């Protein structure tokens, strides 16, 4: 009654009606009118969103919870570029990165929706069986890079510059980077180090080659560190890492890997720099995560650092499959009638 009375006075003052019955009628008329207008806009809203891909919808919902929930973009087949990584950081979408060294694995992980594939110099360990990453050569990295690039349709492909291909002088560094880009057709290169390799990075960048930096535990310097333990726990090393991160951003690196450093330090760096920071053993406060594929698939079971999460036990699967095959061959169960010509 109070509401009706309110509307009655409004209708009367605008000369819409001049009696109570007319007022009640007009009230319900306007009520239904606004209800249908509301329904119409709801319909328009859903129609508009239905026309968009999951990627575009989440781009509309920047910063919202829905953006994070819908961030797997399995139907988004557009090529990932350095520019798109920057956009992902801006809208708070985490970047997924894994290593790959050959065509078959790169095909699988690209189709599974990984954002970045790193042809890491960890190939020296997991593919060649070396104790460190130091022995792998530029030619070997180019071989792995070519195999991966042939497989990849969507992910950004980064090739590690191997030890000895850029530390000597900047002229040699740019020649190595140009060989990687020309021969592998990868999208960019990754280099370990900060201020000490500034000139090399700048020269490579000025040749138009995007560079991803790598700070913290840099395995190519393992002989200097003498241990694979967490880096930058001490204030002096932490300060140097922060300075280096700013330097890499300033000179034009498009992204940065932080390896095995305290989570709080990595979070601080990711907040202070505008380029995407991808962590390995650097906590969840960074813009993305990278793991060595053989470790996360449980192929390489001898390596179990705290930061590693295993998503499969391929070591057991492969061992059991091979044992079954050996048994079938020995017992002459394989091949059977249907498995021959
Ligand atoms: O070579 C590699 O696999 C790497 C990652 C550990 C970041 O550099």
């Amino acid at each position: 009654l109070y509401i009706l009375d309110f509307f009655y006075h409004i209708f009367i003052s605008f000369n819409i009606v001049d009696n109570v019955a007319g007022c009640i009628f007009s009230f319900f008329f306007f009520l239904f009118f606004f209800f249908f207008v509301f329904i119409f806009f709801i319909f328009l809203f859903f129609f508009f969103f239905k026309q968009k891909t999951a990627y575009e919808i989440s781009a509309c919902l920047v910063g919202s919870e829905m953006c994070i929930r819908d961030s797997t973009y399995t139907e988004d087949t557009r090529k990932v570029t350095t520019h798109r990584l920057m956009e992902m950081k801006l809208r708070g979408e985490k970047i997924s990165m894994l290593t790959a060294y050959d065509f078959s694995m790169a095909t699988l992980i690209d189709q599974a929706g990984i954002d970045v594939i790193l042809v890491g110099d960890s190939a020296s360990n997991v593919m060649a069986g070396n104790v460190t990453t130091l022995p792998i050569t530029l030619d070997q990295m180019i071989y792995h890079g070519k195999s991966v690039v042939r497989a990849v349709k969507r992910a950004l492909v980064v090739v590690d510059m191997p030890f000895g291909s850029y530390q000597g002088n900047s002229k040699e560094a740019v020649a190595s980077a140009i060989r990687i880009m020309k021969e592998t057709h990868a999208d960019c290169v990754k280099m370990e180090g900060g201020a000490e390799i500034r000139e090399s990075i700048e020269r490579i960048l000025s040749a138009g080659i995007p560079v991803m930096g790598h700070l913290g535990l840099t395995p190519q310097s393992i002989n200097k560190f003498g241990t694979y333990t967490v880096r930058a726990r001490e204030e002096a090393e932490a300060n140097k890492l922060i300075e280096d991160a700013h330097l890499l951003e300033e000179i034009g690196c498009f992204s940065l890997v932080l390896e095995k450093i305290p989570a709080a330090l990595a979070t601080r760096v990711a907040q202070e720099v505008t380029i995407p920071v991808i962590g390995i053993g650097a906590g969840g406060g960074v813009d993305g995560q990278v793991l060595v594929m053989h470790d996360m698939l449980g192929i390489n079971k001898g390596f179990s650092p705290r930061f590693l999460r295993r998503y499969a036990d391929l070591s057991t699967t492969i061992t059991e499959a091979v044992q079954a095959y050996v048994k079938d061959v020995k017992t002459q169960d394989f091949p059977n009638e249907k498995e021959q010509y």
Side-chain angles (χ1 to χ4, degrees):
L1 280 179
Y2 194 77
I3 294 169
L4 273 179
D5 186 51
F6 172 75
F7 276 100
Y8 177 71
H9 282 100
I10 290 183
F11 292 154
I12 293 286
S13 53
F14 283 97
N15 281 332
I16 296 172
V17 290
D18 58 2
N19 58 50
V20 174
C23 169
I24 293 174
F25 175 79
S26 305
F27 172 74
F28 283 108
F29 176 80
F30 279 107
L31 196 71
F32 279 115
F33 177 75
F34 284 119
F35 176 73
F36 281 114
V37 167
F38 178 71
I39 294 289
F40 178 71
F41 276 108
I42 293 272
F43 173 77
L44 265 191
F45 179 80
F46 280 107
F47 181 78
F48 169 73
F49 273 108
K50 273 246 153 104
Q51 304 305 304
K52 291 178 168 285
T53 63
Y55 168 75
E56 288 166 325
I57 290 173
S58 27
C60 296
L61 299 168
V62 173
S64 77
E65 197 190 317
M66 200 160 161
C67 172
I68 294 158
R69 258 195 290 126
D70 284 351
S71 64
T72 45
Y73 305 158
T74 45
E75 69 200 59
D76 181 9
T77 52
R78 289 181 307 146
K79 173 82 182 157
V80 179
T81 59
T82 55
H83 180 74
R84 284 189 67 197
L85 292 190
M86 195 67 99
E87 289 176 343
M88 287 163 87
K89 170 159 180 147
L90 282 176
R91 64 169 176 264
E93 182 193 342
K94 299 285 182 185
I95 298 162
S96 60
M97 172 162 152
L98 276 178
T99 63
Y101 319 100
D102 69 283
F103 179 86
S104 306
M105 286 298 198
T107 304
L108 290 176
I109 64 171
D110 186 49
Q111 286 172 356
I114 201 79
D115 297 315
V116 184
I117 295 182
L118 170 66
V119 184
D121 58 357
S122 49
S124 177
N125 310 104
V126 295
M127 301 300 285
N130 293 309
V131 176
T132 71
T133 58
L134 276 70
I136 201 160
T137 64
L138 185 57
D139 284 338
Q140 287 165 339
M141 287 305 298
I142 288 173
Y143 167 81
H144 289 298
K146 274 183 183 171
S147 312
V148 167
V149 171
R150 267 186 228 120
V152 173
K153 293 195 165 56
R154 178 181 174 272
L156 182 91
V157 180
V158 190
V159 176
D160 252 339
M161 292 193 62
F163 176 69
S165 70
Y166 61 98
Q167 292 92 342
N169 64 64
S170 61
K171 205 171 155 197
E172 199 186 331
V174 78
S176 307
I178 286 174
R179 267 201 71 197
I180 290 177
M181 298 300 283
K182 249 189 189 311
E183 295 180 39
T184 68
H185 301 177
D187 300 304
C188 47
V189 296
K190 177 164 83 60
M191 300 164 75
E192 295 183 9
E196 56 287 347
I197 56 159
R198 176 187 186 143
E199 204 185 308
S200 294
I201 297 180
E202 282 180 326
R203 206 150 169 178
I204 292 171
L205 286 168
S206 63
I209 301 170
V211 176
M212 177 181 271
H214 184 157
L215 299 172
L217 177 64
T218 45
Q220 291 178 12
S221 305
I222 189 59
N223 293 317
K224 185 177 84 182
F225 298 145
T227 163
Y228 282 101
T229 192
V230 180
R231 303 305 313 174
R233 278 198 198 277
E234 305 300 324
E235 201 183 332
E237 195 178 334
N239 287 339
K240 158 99 169 78
L241 187 140
I242 292 168
E243 269 172 38
D244 279 343
H246 283 286
L247 175 82
L248 294 181
E249 177 188 23
E250 235 172 76
I251 63 179
C253 286
F254 75 89
S255 174
L256 176 60
V257 165
L258 292 181
E259 182 166 351
K260 219 169 175 187
I261 62 168
L265 176 62
T267 305
R268 177 173 166 194
V269 172
Q271 283 168 354
E272 285 186 12
V273 299
T274 56
I275 55 175
V277 174
I278 299 174
I280 172 163
V286 288
D287 307 306
Q289 299 294 327
V290 55
L291 285 176
V292 170
M293 186 182 54
H294 288 63
D295 301 336
M296 62 83 77
L297 291 180
I299 297 174
N300 168 25
K301 272 187 149 173
F303 181 67
S304 297
R306 178 160 145 187
F307 67 76
L308 176 63
R309 186 181 293 181
R310 284 196 210 289
Y311 287 84
D313 182 8
L314 290 197
S315 158
T316 306
T317 307
I318 293 170
T319 305
E320 285 175 0
V322 173
Q323 284 170 344
Y325 169 72
V326 170
K327 179 172 154 273
D328 289 352
V329 171
K330 301 280 182 197
T331 58
Q332 296 183 37
D333 180 70
F334 176 79
N336 64 22
E337 293 271 301
K338 287 187 195 147
E339 291 161 332
Q340 53 190 299
Y341 301 101

